[in-house]
Amino acid sequence: MASRPTARPGQRDLTSGPIASTLLAFAIPTLGSSVLQSLNGSINAIWVGRFLGEDALAATANGNIVLFMLLAFVFGFGMASTILVGQAFGRRDVAEARRVVGTAIGSFVPVAAVVALIGWLTAPHILGLLGTPGDAMPLALAYLRVIFVAMPAALMMTMLMMTLRGSGDSLTPLWFMALSVALDSGLNPVFILGLGPAPALGIAGSATATAVANYVSLFALLAYIYARDLPLRLRGPELAWLRPDPARLRVIVGKGFPMGLQMIVITSSALAMLSLVNREGVHTAAAYGVTQQLWTYVQMPAMALGAAVSAMAAQNIGAGNWDRVSAVTRAGVIFNVVLTGALILLLTVADRPALALFMGGDSPALPIARHIQLVGTWGFLFFGVSLVLFGTVRANGQVIGPLIILFISMYPVRLGVALGAYSWLGADALWLSFPIGMVTTMLMAIALYLHGGWRKGRIGPTPPPDEIECREQAEATREPGGALNPAG
């Protein structure tokens, strides 16, 4: 007989009441979680840039984007696990939720361990493929190898946090994310400089802090899950469910592959762009890495709004309230223009002090970073519109359309502009390719929303996505920026 789970906290009815205020109230908590997650990468970049200089900053930019892509590969499967856990809790079948968690952990953690080992051994070749500048290569290698050691813990933390959200527990992931951020940010100067009994590890010290934070937070989270006897823990005979079940694994892979592939498209495009940036030298690579930190924050309002729009649209589609679906989308677009536009304006006015936080006011990379920010940041206004429209069409099960659009805008358009216009624009072709690609994404997203036939999708017997699924889908569509981990 199915167990009865506790009520899911924070669940709300999005099919009635005022649209604008409900949408904003739903988006703000997601925005706060994203800020906390990205703050970790920013603080670490400040430590590295101030203590070790531009070479080290360029090295971390190369290392972090490799880890982001590897985690992105399994993020879609984690999201699929989250959906299945949420569905099981909706049926009040805790045993099924535990089986899903067991299959997910039992499948992907061993894969992560193997990938980490291979990555550690092949790190020089990976950095060579990225075209890492020669001055930054030894630093990047030292950093990336330790990051690979941290990867299994980072993956398991991401998987556990996502499945906890699927069970309705949004607070536990937030607390342990905060613990990881505090440890990582606090230990960075300790291991970089060798404070107290700690050895001075330089750039490897930053990665060591990340590894320590990930493993300590993971073990603390596991201890908390068992101490509080949270519903997803496995005990006794249930531990056998860590042996992957083929049927459940097929569902996880089948549902997770499109979203994982979408993140691979975005991050592989970012890797290709990084290889082009690295050709410009270490100062430009460092400037680009710092600009990515700011871009992480610029896209946060749109990510949160995309998640909120997706959740509200899903509930209203399920209720047959199509007029509200259109109104929700319009409100999301308006809020995005106001909030993202305000951030872009603020950074345009105060770009120098914001960028100087990472590299110091007298850094030779600072003028380059200011130029990149001025040329490229405005495109996020249009990318935010795309996220809102994608959120709506995904709410009715359309995931292939956004994937195709992102592939076109990231590869033929963005990389095509970066390569094709380089001979007459120089490095500016790289920076202009971002807004040009984002405007293209928006135009295709509008066409999909207006003429894509997504309204004709069949809802049931399959229910529309719930709040948890929609949030993970919206957070998956993002530029890697300065974030170390995907949203999890």
Side-chain angles (χ1 to χ4, degrees), residues 6 29 70 83 105 111 117 147 149 164 227 233 267 478-479:
T6 57
L70 290 171
I83 297 167
I105 298 296
V111 171
L117 177 61
I147 285 295
V149 174
L164 283 168
R233 91 291 179 274
T267 51
R478 58 173 298 182
E479 298 286 341

Side-chain angles (χ1 to χ4, degrees), residues 26-120:
F26 187 76
I28 287 174
T30 303
L31 178 60
S33 179
S34 296
V35 170
L36 179 63
Q37 187 176 40
S38 295
L39 190 63
N40 184 36
S42 297
I43 293 175
N44 291 352
I46 291 172
W47 290 131
V48 171
R50 287 301 185 93
F51 291 148
L52 300 174
E54 285 84 1
D55 287 358
L57 201 57
T60 60
N62 281 264
N64 284 348
I65 202 166
V66 171
L67 179 60
F68 190 100
M69 186 171 184
L70 290 171
L71 290 176
F73 180 75
V74 299
F75 180 79
F77 306 122
M79 187 190 70
S81 303
T82 301
I83 297 167
L84 295 178
V85 168
Q87 290 175 351
F89 266 74
R91 298 191 304 271
R92 303 188 178 186
D93 188 353
V94 176
E96 173 60 21
R98 291 172 181 165
R99 288 186 174 95
V100 171
V101 172
T103 291
I105 298 296
S107 301
F108 296 109
V109 169
V111 171
V114 172
V115 171
L117 177 61
I118 295 173
W120 194 92

Side-chain angles (χ1 to χ4, degrees), residues 102-485:
T103 291
I105 298 296
S107 301
F108 296 109
V109 169
V111 171
V114 172
V115 171
L117 177 61
I118 295 173
W120 194 92
L121 295 173
T122 61
H125 304 288
I126 294 173
L127 294 172
L129 289 173
L130 289 177
T132 304
D135 293 341
M137 176 64 84
L139 296 172
L141 179 59
Y143 181 83
L144 184 58
R145 277 184 161 162
V146 181
I147 285 295
F148 273 119
V149 174
M151 189 185 130
L155 169 62
M156 190 168 180
M157 276 285 290
T158 299
M159 188 77 73
L160 286 175
M161 287 180 176
M162 293 173 71
T163 52
L164 283 168
R165 289 190 183 114
S167 73
D169 183 355
S170 60
L171 287 177
T172 298
L174 180 62
W175 298 135
F176 285 92
M177 183 188 299
L179 173 63
S180 179
V181 169
L183 286 173
D184 196 356
S185 302
L187 290 175
N188 251 263
V190 173
F191 287 113
I192 289 174
L193 300 176
L195 302 179
L201 300 176
I203 186 65
S206 179
T208 300
T210 298
V212 170
N214 281 336
Y215 280 101
V216 169
S217 299
L218 171 61
F219 289 124
L221 176 59
L222 288 171
Y224 181 84
I225 288 172
Y226 281 90
R228 295 293 301 271
D229 197 32
L230 297 185
L232 294 183
R233 91 291 179 274
L234 302 178
R235 294 185 185 276
E238 296 170 342
L239 292 172
W241 294 340
L242 288 170
R243 185 169 57 249
D245 174 72
R248 293 179 179 87
L249 185 59
R250 281 194 298 271
V251 175
I252 290 173
V253 173
K255 291 178 73 69
F257 185 74
M259 190 55 60
L261 186 58
Q262 176 178 296
M263 291 193 70
I264 292 297
V265 167
I266 295 173
T267 51
S268 62
S269 172
L271 283 170
M273 182 62 66
L274 182 61
S275 68
L276 298 178
V277 173
N278 283 335
R279 297 177 186 177
E280 302 298 313
V282 69
H283 291 313
T284 300
Y288 177 70
V290 169
T291 305
Q292 291 277 286
Q293 293 289 336
L294 297 187
W295 287 354
T296 298
Y297 294 96
V298 170
Q299 63 188 310
M300 281 183 182
M303 288 165 53
L305 286 166
V309 165
S310 199
M312 289 189 70
Q315 287 199 12
N316 283 283
I317 288 170
N321 298 333
W322 284 98
D323 289 342
R324 281 180 64 88
V325 172
S326 299
V328 166
T329 305
R330 286 195 299 270
V333 170
I334 292 170
F335 278 135
N336 166 73
V337 171
V338 172
L339 296 176
T340 305
L343 269 179
I344 292 172
L345 180 62
L346 177 62
L347 283 177
T348 301
V349 173
D351 61 338
R352 182 180 178 85
L355 293 165
L357 284 173
F358 298 94
M359 56 180 56
D362 57 349
S363 169
L366 182 58
I368 303 173
R370 294 184 68 188
H371 181 70
I372 296 172
Q373 194 278 137
L374 182 64
V375 172
T377 305
W378 60 271
F380 282 98
L381 186 68
F382 303 95
F383 191 62
V385 174
S386 303
L387 292 188
V388 172
L389 298 178
F390 285 163
T392 300
V393 301
R394 284 192 186 116
N396 206 30
Q398 171 63 268
V399 295
I400 301 300
L403 173 61
I404 294 172
I405 289 172
L406 286 169
F407 178 83
I408 293 172
S409 62
M410 294 288 172
Y411 278 95
V413 177
R414 179 183 292 181
L415 292 179
V417 169
L419 292 170
Y422 187 86
S423 60
W424 56 285
L425 289 178
D428 277 350
L430 307 181
W431 323 137
L432 281 171
S433 71
F434 284 92
I436 291 173
M438 291 173 183
V439 170
T440 304
T441 301
M442 184 192 70
L443 294 175
M444 290 188 290
I446 292 173
L448 175 66
Y449 177 77
L450 294 177
H451 308 293
W454 59 274
R455 293 174 179 84
K456 300 177 183 178
R458 283 185 28 185
I459 293 297
T462 303
D466 66 5
E467 295 178 18
I468 306 297
E469 175 181 358
C470 294
R471 181 177 62 207
E472 302 297 351
Q473 287 182 350
E475 290 182 344
T477 308
R478 58 173 298 182
E479 298 286 341
L484 182 60
N485 301 324

